[in-house]
Amino acid sequence: MDYLPVLALSIDEHSFRGQDMMITITCVWPERRLIAILPDDRLKTLEKFLKELPASVRRRIKAVCIDFKEGWRKLIKRVLPGVRVMVDHLHALKDANRRVDEARLIEQQVTGQRIPRWPLVKKEEDLTERQAA
Protein backbone atom coordinates (compact mmCIF):
# COMPACT_ATOMS: atom_id res chain seq x y z
CA MET A 1 0.00 0.00 0.00
CA ASP A 2 1.36 3.42 -0.95
CA TYR A 3 1.83 5.96 1.81
CA LEU A 4 -0.47 8.95 1.39
CA PRO A 5 0.45 12.01 3.44
CA VAL A 6 -1.98 13.65 5.80
CA LEU A 7 -3.52 16.91 4.62
CA ALA A 8 -4.06 20.25 6.32
CA LEU A 9 -6.43 22.77 4.78
CA SER A 10 -7.03 26.47 5.15
CA ILE A 11 -10.53 27.81 4.52
CA ASP A 12 -11.01 31.56 4.21
CA GLU A 13 -13.39 34.02 2.64
CA HIS A 14 -12.38 36.71 0.18
CA SER A 15 -13.89 39.41 -1.94
CA PHE A 16 -12.03 40.08 -5.17
CA ARG A 17 -12.38 43.62 -6.53
CA GLY A 18 -15.41 44.33 -4.36
CA GLN A 19 -17.41 41.39 -5.68
CA ASP A 20 -19.54 39.15 -3.47
CA MET A 21 -17.75 37.08 -0.87
CA MET A 22 -16.41 33.69 -1.89
CA ILE A 23 -14.53 30.93 -0.10
CA THR A 24 -11.04 29.78 -0.96
CA ILE A 25 -9.78 26.38 0.09
CA THR A 26 -6.03 25.92 0.18
CA CYS A 27 -3.94 22.91 1.03
CA VAL A 28 -1.27 24.10 3.45
CA TRP A 29 0.38 20.73 4.17
CA PRO A 30 2.23 18.85 2.77
CA GLU A 31 2.34 21.26 -0.18
CA ARG A 32 0.80 24.73 -0.28
CA ARG A 33 -1.59 25.08 -3.20
CA LEU A 34 -5.02 26.45 -3.99
CA ILE A 35 -7.60 23.67 -4.21
CA ALA A 36 -10.83 25.54 -4.92
CA ILE A 37 -12.58 28.88 -5.11
CA LEU A 38 -16.22 28.43 -4.17
CA PRO A 39 -18.75 30.82 -5.76
CA ASP A 40 -20.16 32.21 -2.50
CA ASP A 41 -19.66 32.13 1.27
CA ARG A 42 -22.75 30.13 2.22
CA LEU A 43 -22.42 27.20 4.61
CA LYS A 44 -24.35 24.95 2.21
CA THR A 45 -21.81 25.63 -0.55
CA LEU A 46 -18.88 24.74 1.74
CA GLU A 47 -20.70 21.66 3.02
CA LYS A 48 -21.41 20.45 -0.52
CA PHE A 49 -17.75 20.88 -1.49
CA LEU A 50 -16.47 18.99 1.55
CA LYS A 51 -18.98 16.15 1.14
CA GLU A 52 -18.07 15.76 -2.54
CA LEU A 53 -14.41 15.19 -1.73
CA PRO A 54 -13.58 11.51 -2.21
CA ALA A 55 -13.71 9.56 1.05
CA SER A 56 -10.04 8.68 0.63
CA VAL A 57 -9.17 12.41 0.63
CA ARG A 58 -11.51 13.27 3.53
CA ARG A 59 -9.86 10.57 5.66
CA ARG A 60 -6.43 12.13 5.06
CA ILE A 61 -7.50 15.60 6.28
CA LYS A 62 -6.28 15.96 9.85
CA ALA A 63 -6.45 19.74 10.39
CA VAL A 64 -8.40 22.70 9.04
CA CYS A 65 -7.44 26.31 9.70
CA ILE A 66 -10.30 28.86 9.66
CA ASP A 67 -11.20 32.28 11.02
CA PHE A 68 -13.50 32.69 14.04
CA LYS A 69 -16.70 31.60 12.27
CA GLU A 70 -18.53 29.27 14.64
CA GLY A 71 -20.75 28.03 11.80
CA TRP A 72 -17.71 26.87 9.84
CA ARG A 73 -16.25 25.13 12.90
CA LYS A 74 -19.48 23.22 13.55
CA LEU A 75 -19.83 22.29 9.87
CA ILE A 76 -16.26 20.99 9.62
CA LYS A 77 -16.65 18.97 12.84
CA ARG A 78 -19.84 17.43 11.46
CA VAL A 79 -18.62 16.69 7.92
CA LEU A 80 -15.02 15.80 8.87
CA PRO A 81 -15.28 14.20 12.32
CA GLY A 82 -12.02 13.88 14.19
CA VAL A 83 -10.38 16.74 12.28
CA ARG A 84 -8.60 19.36 14.38
CA VAL A 85 -10.07 22.81 13.69
CA MET A 86 -7.88 25.79 14.57
CA VAL A 87 -7.96 29.54 14.10
CA ASP A 88 -5.62 31.10 11.56
CA HIS A 89 -2.89 33.04 13.42
CA LEU A 90 -3.55 36.17 11.34
CA HIS A 91 -7.21 36.18 12.39
CA ALA A 92 -6.19 35.61 16.02
CA LEU A 93 -3.79 38.59 15.88
CA LYS A 94 -6.43 40.77 14.21
CA ASP A 95 -8.92 39.86 16.94
CA ALA A 96 -6.36 40.54 19.70
CA ASN A 97 -5.56 43.96 18.20
CA ARG A 98 -9.28 44.77 17.99
CA ARG A 99 -9.77 43.83 21.65
CA VAL A 100 -6.76 45.89 22.79
CA ASP A 101 -8.12 48.86 20.85
CA GLU A 102 -11.59 48.45 22.40
CA ALA A 103 -10.06 48.34 25.90
CA ARG A 104 -7.95 51.42 25.08
CA LEU A 105 -11.03 53.36 23.94
CA ILE A 106 -13.00 52.40 27.06
CA GLU A 107 -10.10 53.41 29.31
CA GLN A 108 -9.79 56.67 27.37
CA GLN A 109 -13.50 57.43 27.91
CA VAL A 110 -13.32 56.61 31.63
CA THR A 111 -10.16 58.59 32.37
CA GLY A 112 -10.70 61.40 29.90
CA GLN A 113 -7.06 61.08 28.87
CA ARG A 114 -5.89 60.36 25.35
CA ILE A 115 -4.22 56.97 25.12
CA PRO A 116 -2.25 56.47 21.89
CA ARG A 117 -2.74 53.21 20.01
CA TRP A 118 0.71 52.51 18.56
CA PRO A 119 2.58 51.89 21.83
CA LEU A 120 0.09 49.11 22.55
CA VAL A 121 0.41 47.26 19.24
CA LYS A 122 3.95 47.87 17.95
CA LYS A 123 7.19 46.37 19.18
CA GLU A 124 8.99 48.83 21.44
CA GLU A 125 12.00 49.03 19.13
CA ASP A 126 9.72 49.89 16.16
CA LEU A 127 8.13 52.93 17.84
CA THR A 128 9.03 56.40 16.63
CA GLU A 129 10.36 58.80 19.26
CA ARG A 130 6.97 60.49 19.42
CA GLN A 131 5.11 57.17 19.81
CA ALA A 132 7.53 56.05 22.53
CA ALA A 133 7.00 59.30 24.46
Side-chain angles (χ1 to χ4, degrees):
M1 181 168 115
D2 290 345
Y3 168 74
L4 295 173
V6 298
L7 300 174
L9 303 180
S10 174
I11 300 175
D12 206 354
E13 63 183 359
H14 298 277
S15 174
F16 297 102
R17 296 187 179 165
Q19 301 297 315
D20 292 337
M21 296 300 282
M22 57 191 66
I23 296 174
T24 60
I25 301 173
T26 307
C27 181
V28 292
W29 179 262
E31 172 189 330
R32 186 167 183 81
R33 66 184 171 95
L34 181 65
I35 294 174
I37 299 176
L38 305 184
D40 57 58
D41 64 343
R42 296 186 350 226
L43 285 173
K44 288 195 180 293
T45 303
L46 178 57
E47 181 176 16
K48 181 177 185 282
F49 174 83
L50 293 173
K51 285 183 173 179
E52 288 178 352
L53 289 171
S56 61
V57 172
R58 284 198 314 269
R59 281 192 301 272
R60 291 173 45 210
I61 300 171
K62 300 301 179 197
V64 177
C65 186
I66 62 172
D67 61 17
F68 282 97
K69 287 190 173 41
E70 183 65 12
W72 284 13
R73 188 191 67 75
K74 288 178 180 177
L75 171 72
I76 292 164
K77 286 293 200 182
R78 188 176 74 246
V79 176
L80 303 170
V83 167
R84 175 178 248 164
V85 180
M86 59 198 78
V87 174
D88 175 345
H89 69 282
L90 295 175
H91 287 99
L93 286 172
K94 180 179 176 184
D95 184 63
N97 281 333
R98 181 186 58 79
R99 290 171 188 257
V100 166
D101 204 41
E102 285 176 1
R104 178 187 66 83
L105 292 173
I106 291 169
E107 187 69 22
Q108 201 167 261
Q109 288 173 344
V110 170
T111 64
Q113 294 181 341
R114 183 179 175 282
I115 301 172
R117 178 174 180 262
W118 290 116
L120 300 174
V121 296
K122 284 175 85 174
K123 290 192 281 186
E124 189 174 353
E125 59 268 17
D126 292 339
L127 294 171
T128 65
E129 283 185 34
R130 182 175 177 219
Q131 291 168 343

